[in-house]
Amino acid sequence: MKPDSESMEPKTVEITVAGKAIQAREGETIIHALWQAGRGHDIQTGCVGGVCGACTVTLRFKDGRRGGTDLACLRPVEEGMEVFPFPVDALASPPPVSDPDEDKLRAEFPTVDRCTKCDNCTIACPMGIPVMDSVLRMQKGQLEAVAEDFTTCIHCGLCRAVCEDKVLPHTMGIWVRRSLGLSVDHPALDQTREATMSDQEEQEWEHLLNCDDQERLQRAKAFRKEGIIA
Amino acid sequence: MDWAKISLDKVKDTRKERVDQTAPSISDDEAQNLIKEYHPDYVGNERRIHVGPNADSDPFPMELADLLESDSPVPKNFEPTVDIETDVLILGGGGAGVTAALGLADSGLTVHLATKLRLGDANTVMAEGGIQAALGADDSTRRHFADSYVGGHGKNDTGLLRHLCEEGPAGIRWLTRLGTLFDQNDDGTFRFRSGGGTSTPRVLACRDYTGLEIMRVLKNAVMSGKTQLLEHDAAVELTDDGKDRVTGAVLWNTQTGKLVTVSARAVILATGGSGQLRLQGYPTSNHLGATGDGLILAYRQGCSLVFPGSHQYHPSGSSYPEALVGQLVTESIRSAGAQILNVNGERFIDEMTFRDVVAAAIIREVVEGRGIETPTGRRGVWLDTPLIEQTKGKGTLTHQFPGLIHRFKRYGIDPTTQPLLIYPTLHYQNGGVRIDTECRTERAGLWAAGEVTGGVHGTNRLMGNSLLDIIVFGRRVSESVRQNVPERGAVTLTRLKRYRDELSGLPHKPETTAPQLYPRVSGMKFELKEIPKPGPGAEASPDAVKSFEPPDPFASR
């Protein structure tokens, strides 16, 4: 089972970050390479796990391969990679509305119809969201599908930053999701509105709380089996 | 993953017979012994500290002990002069801090929220599995309490835990009113998942992006309100009025390198956890800033810490590829049916028992030689994700766990056909600053909520109780502050001076400063920058970064 460690030694590659070269181990992420080089402050970093959208970068390759945009915390380094910090500021958006439709969306976001279908937003998205298609769905009012499209959106802002027509795709995405979300009825939650406690509830709390710690642990173990006082 | 072919073949070969196998059972006593023998909290890598309210009592992890006995980064000759005056200062931009800010929105109080990174760059956004609330048909707030109490080994603060469970449903309602979308069944009812140690399905989720869904809604909501945001401002010290009341904070702006003093009538500590201290060299699932800053700040003010030696090592941290080491593989993947296997393709623990038990069992398996070693020398056991596709139908993983698929796909690993290698990762700080049920610390003027606090989870937290914690106690802290906000006090560093005097009496002093602010591995650290005074005819400093246009990312399309 033990691997042949010599042949597995990671190769060293050279990348540049904001024009300055660093040596990195093949397979590690851009952020980890920056840490190794003592340059952690050079790219704004948040979760280091691909979900906060802080470490947006643009990429270019010396050999002309397509670069594009990505998250520095997830992107592994490659020989000849040129990395440029590309922070995108978060943007406040209009408050969500109940029962959203395409008219309400258009009223809040008149730029939705400016989309020229260049598809830059889709290519820029590090999460693989079909952003441009979703903007077209917004125009048609297919908002349930839009909400689904933006389920994985980390609001890094790249789709907005690369949009030449200021269409604000992800900003509309969360507006649609929140608007749909607050329009859903949840009968299960409305039931909990009654604040008065039944006798049974009071008895159960009494049973679980009114004893010493050792006894409580035993009672809790028994109670959790069926959810009733045994 | 050719290096693991022999073991992976065994996993494949045994899959058929494992499909209907019941999980290995473990008695309470066996579980306790397993934890005592193998859980990292119990290996004895701890020491007592000799200053502050917990002096010479509880054992602390070495890394945290060193920080608590370290000096402040604030220069000794620094005299705070107020730069910003506010009613409420919230320290921390994760779920607890932002919930508190939203709770104060219509209070008439001015609110500043300071965060070391950006708003929302926090552990909340990384939470995957879900949030608990007793809303199911067979469920009750008492059952939620009993599960959490047993999971926490009966060490939970019962007052705090009761609030957590009782206010769960109201917390969920608050979130849905803000527009949070939770997974639903076809009939529109909530879909509940099981978590390790839940006796009935109680976990609400948004696929495997529950924390992201909650955080982006909270962030979006707070950005359209009146909360003043201080991003890239790390709290490095609390100020006091000279009579033990907290009156503000000294912040360090990570971009300008300058110190900023804030005077506040109330300070809410919501700085989160400490996974990036990487105790005992463990990797972590936490974000860049999770270095326990709030523990240090509160402790210097005289607040005691509850269960400072209790941390959660999440059983399923990724162990391969190297770039993803420590990152979370959500517990709900086990609740969906993925089994944990050793090198021989054998199950060895009930995958759905409490987290500390599962983690200890994995460590035992590896210690006793039944683990798998990666080319870089890391070890782990298998999480048989392809099994879910077999039992729950093709496409289940892609639909239910898009985050997992997305992350591993980049490294050529497809969890629908390829088991994942996992090992425990430092995930959550169970202990923390002591609070009462109104989120008050032991110092007037200082409140706290979320992961920085200790007590509610005992010494082991259940899945889905941390997202609930930040919502319930984020709301409670705002209510408590609203009703008890004191008058403005003087802004001094009296407590710090006293703490420094105590430190000077120690025989050995660590050569670090605290709060640590960044993980050691990042090489990032506190640095004060003097702002050069521009003289007559001064040129731009030679090493000032020249501004440049980033290249057009689509130039080579």
Side-chain angles (χ1 to χ4, degrees):
Chain A
M1 190 85 268
K2 242 188 155 68
D4 179 353
S5 59
E6 287 216 305
S7 67
M8 295 294 186
E9 199 62 35
K11 274 195 297 186
T12 301
V13 298
E14 185 174 288
I15 67 168
T16 66
V17 179
K20 285 183 269 180
I22 55 175
Q23 306 295 314
R25 289 170 301 181
E26 194 168 56
E28 72 181 337
T29 66
I30 296 168
I31 292 296
H32 289 149
L34 278 172
W35 287 2
Q36 284 294 320
R39 289 178 52 192
H41 282 291
D42 283 14
I43 291 177
Q44 166 179 281
T45 309
C47 72
V48 214
V51 285
C52 81
C55 60
T56 44
V57 292
T58 61
L59 301 168
R60 197 163 64 179
F61 288 96
K62 289 210 167 81
D63 60 13
R65 270 179 297 154
R66 196 172 95 186
T69 54
D70 212 339
L71 302 173
C73 74
L74 284 188
R75 182 69 174 238
V77 296
E78 290 172 70
E79 181 63 39
M81 181 187 255
E82 297 181 299
V83 184
F84 301 86
F86 190 52
V88 183
D89 281 342
L91 190 70
S93 64
V97 300
S98 58
D99 303 315
D101 56 25
E102 66 262 46
D103 293 335
K104 289 181 182 172
L105 186 141
R106 225 167 236 117
E108 296 287 4
F109 299 94
T111 55
V112 67
D113 292 311
R114 293 216 304 224
C115 173
T116 55
K117 303 186 195 172
C118 73
D119 212 20
N120 271 358
C121 51
T122 305
I123 295 164
C125 179
M127 304 304 286
I129 296 171
V131 186
M132 187 192 79
D133 292 345
S134 198
V135 169
L136 302 181
R137 286 193 261 279
M138 290 178 202
Q139 293 175 353
K140 293 182 209 142
Q142 298 163 353
L143 302 189
E144 296 280 348
V146 170
E148 177 66 26
D149 291 335
F150 281 89
T151 302
T152 62
C153 175
I154 59 171
H155 294 275
C156 65
L158 281 172
C159 59
R160 172 165 52 88
V162 301
C163 178
E164 296 185 354
D165 304 295
K166 304 279 182 277
V167 174
L168 314 175
H170 75 101
T171 317
M172 294 192 290
I174 192 154
W175 183 88
V176 169
R177 281 185 65 86
R178 284 188 66 193
S179 296
L180 287 172
L182 60 84
S183 306
V184 181
D185 273 339
H186 295 289
L189 294 178
D190 294 336
Q191 285 164 16
T192 65
R193 206 171 293 168
E194 305 305 326
T196 52
M197 204 181 284
S198 71
D199 288 349
Q200 190 197 334
E201 283 176 63
E202 268 180 49
Q203 270 169 23
E204 289 174 357
W205 279 122
E206 184 77 3
H207 175 72
L208 288 168
L209 292 172
N210 204 4
C211 53
D212 66 36
D213 291 355
Q214 266 310 317
E215 174 64 18
R216 182 178 306 113
L217 189 55
Q218 295 315 315
R219 289 184 186 183
K221 279 179 184 170
F223 186 87
R224 64 190 286 269
K225 284 184 186 144
E226 302 288 334
I228 47 170
I229 300 174
Chain B
M1 290 172 85
D2 289 345
W3 48 270
K5 190 172 180 311
I6 301 168
S7 180
L8 279 170
D9 284 347
K10 285 183 187 162
V11 170
K12 214 169 166 182
D13 293 344
T14 56
R15 197 169 285 147
K16 212 169 174 184
E17 62 195 66
R18 283 187 283 107
V19 168
D20 297 317
Q21 207 178 59
T22 48
S25 68
I26 179 165
S27 73
D28 284 0
D29 286 346
E30 285 167 342
Q32 289 305 323
N33 289 336
L34 190 58
I35 291 172
K36 293 225 167 76
E37 206 161 341
Y38 292 101
H39 192 280
D41 276 357
Y42 294 85
V43 301
N45 199 20
E46 299 179 315
R47 69 173 176 90
R48 293 177 204 286
I49 59 170
H50 309 295
V51 287
N54 291 64
D56 305 309
S57 56
D58 314 74
F60 284 71
M62 295 296 190
E63 296 82 352
L64 184 56
D66 283 354
L67 289 176
L68 288 166
E69 291 184 346
S70 294
D71 196 2
S72 167
V74 172
K76 291 212 167 60
N77 58 2
F78 178 79
E79 286 298 331
T81 51
V82 176
D83 299 295
I84 296 172
E85 212 168 75
T86 188
D87 289 329
V88 184
L89 174 64
I90 300 171
L91 300 174
V98 175
T99 300
L102 289 169
L104 289 163
D106 57 355
S107 63
L109 299 166
T110 56
V111 180
H112 279 68
L113 185 151
T115 174
K116 178 165 59 182
L117 305 171
R118 302 176 316 160
L119 182 70
D121 295 353
N123 282 346
T124 301
V125 79
M126 312 182 79
E128 298 178 6
I131 178 167
Q132 288 205 35
L135 289 162
D138 296 329
D139 207 357
S140 72
T141 52
R142 284 79 64 207
R143 197 170 190 178
H144 186 180
F145 179 97
D147 284 346
S148 308
Y149 194 74
V150 175
H153 303 288
K155 304 273 179 60
N156 315 53
D157 179 313
T158 52
L160 292 174
L161 182 57
R162 182 175 178 177
H163 279 292
L164 181 80
C165 301
E166 284 205 303
E167 288 160 39
I172 300 298
R173 187 163 79 231
W174 183 74
L175 282 172
T176 59
R177 292 256 170 86
L178 283 172
T180 311
L181 286 164
F182 293 109
D183 293 344
Q184 296 180 0
N185 298 310
D186 292 338
D187 63 359
T189 55
F190 286 125
R191 178 189 301 174
F192 298 106
R193 286 175 175 165
S194 292
T198 61
S199 59
T200 181
R202 186 185 298 127
V203 183
L204 290 144
C206 173
R207 313 289 166 82
D208 59 348
Y209 281 119
T210 317
L212 172 63
E213 168 65 2
I214 290 174
M215 193 69 239
R216 65 191 169 195
V217 166
L218 294 176
K219 183 174 162 182
N220 192 252
V222 83
M223 281 181 72
S224 48
K226 287 189 192 144
T227 307
Q228 301 282 314
L229 299 177
L230 303 169
E231 293 181 299
H232 309 290
D233 278 314
V236 289
E237 209 58 67
L238 295 174
T239 64
D240 62 282
D241 67 351
K243 292 178 222 116
D244 289 348
R245 177 156 71 90
V246 173
T247 55
V250 179
L251 312 175
W252 171 63
N253 187 289
T254 63
Q255 295 185 324
T256 64
K258 290 205 310 191
L259 295 178
V260 179
T261 305
V262 183
S263 156
R265 295 165 64 191
V267 177
I268 299 175
L269 201 59
T271 49
S274 57
Q276 288 291 4
L277 298 184
R278 303 196 180 209
L279 309 180
Q280 302 176 38
Y282 269 82
T284 181
S285 60
N286 286 187
H287 76 287
L288 180 79
T291 49
D293 304 356
L295 302 180
I296 311 295
L297 265 50
Y299 196 73
R300 286 198 188 129
Q301 293 297 315
C303 297
S304 58
L305 304 181
V306 193
F307 308 132
S310 176
H311 288 76
Q312 183 159 77
Y313 294 78
H314 194 292
S316 46
S318 170
S319 206
Y320 183 87
E322 194 64 19
L324 297 183
V325 166
Q327 290 200 15
L328 187 62
V329 177
T330 176
E331 182 161 316
S332 47
I333 201 108
R334 278 178 273 136
S335 122
Q339 297 172 349
I340 301 180
L341 310 168
N342 65 18
V343 68
N344 301 316
E346 301 156 341
R347 293 173 84 180
F348 53 88
I349 186 71
D350 175 1
E351 288 85 358
M352 292 312 291
T353 189
F354 300 103
R355 280 183 176 171
D356 50 358
V357 183
V358 180
I362 293 172
I363 294 168
R364 176 186 63 189
E365 215 62 15
V366 165
V367 167
E368 293 183 352
R370 294 184 297 276
I372 297 97
E373 189 167 327
T374 74
T376 50
R378 299 204 185 256
R379 296 180 296 175
V381 295
W382 298 116
L383 183 67
D384 193 9
T385 46
L387 184 68
I388 297 177
E389 294 283 286
Q390 221 166 69
T391 52
K392 296 277 163 77
K394 270 209 178 329
T396 306
L397 278 173
T398 315
H399 184 258
Q400 289 290 317
F401 303 98
L404 179 85
I405 302 283
H406 179 78
R407 225 171 305 137
F408 280 89
K409 200 170 66 184
R410 279 176 176 261
Y411 294 92
I413 296 170
D414 177 1
T416 64
T417 58
Q418 163 79 66
L420 304 175
L421 197 67
I422 57 162
Y423 194 72
T425 182
L426 187 51
H427 185 57
Y428 190 79
Q429 172 184 292
N430 295 321
V433 177
R434 184 186 297 279
I435 55 166
D436 67 9
T437 54
E438 311 307 310
C439 299
R440 290 175 295 215
T441 69
E442 291 156 317
R443 282 286 168 257
L446 184 66
W447 282 256
E451 192 174 349
V452 71
T453 70
V456 65
H457 305 297
T459 53
N460 177 58
R461 176 180 63 77
L462 298 197
M463 164 189 180
N465 269 354
S466 57
L467 284 178
L468 184 60
D469 178 351
I470 59 175
I471 301 301
V472 166
F473 290 99
R475 276 155 53 86
R476 286 191 72 77
V477 76
S478 60
E479 200 50 45
S480 176
V481 165
R482 241 172 214 260
Q483 289 173 9
N484 301 293
V485 63
E487 289 309 310
R488 191 172 304 283
V491 172
T492 76
L493 290 173
T494 310
R495 289 286 323 183
L496 173 62
K497 288 194 190 85
R498 215 181 299 165
Y499 200 78
R500 278 176 160 154
D501 288 345
E502 278 190 64
L503 286 179
S504 65
L506 292 179
H508 305 290
K509 252 184 297 175
E511 288 171 9
T512 50
T513 60
Q516 187 178 305
L517 302 173
Y518 300 104
R520 292 257 152 76
V521 289
S522 75
M524 298 160 78
K525 54 182 189 294
F526 177 89
E527 219 174 326
L528 266 191
K529 284 191 192 126
E530 284 303 316
I531 305 302
K533 292 188 181 70
E539 297 292 317
S541 108
D543 48 33
V545 182
K546 286 200 183 95
S547 74
F548 65 90
E549 274 294 282
D552 177 354
F554 303 107
S556 54
R557 246 177 91 190

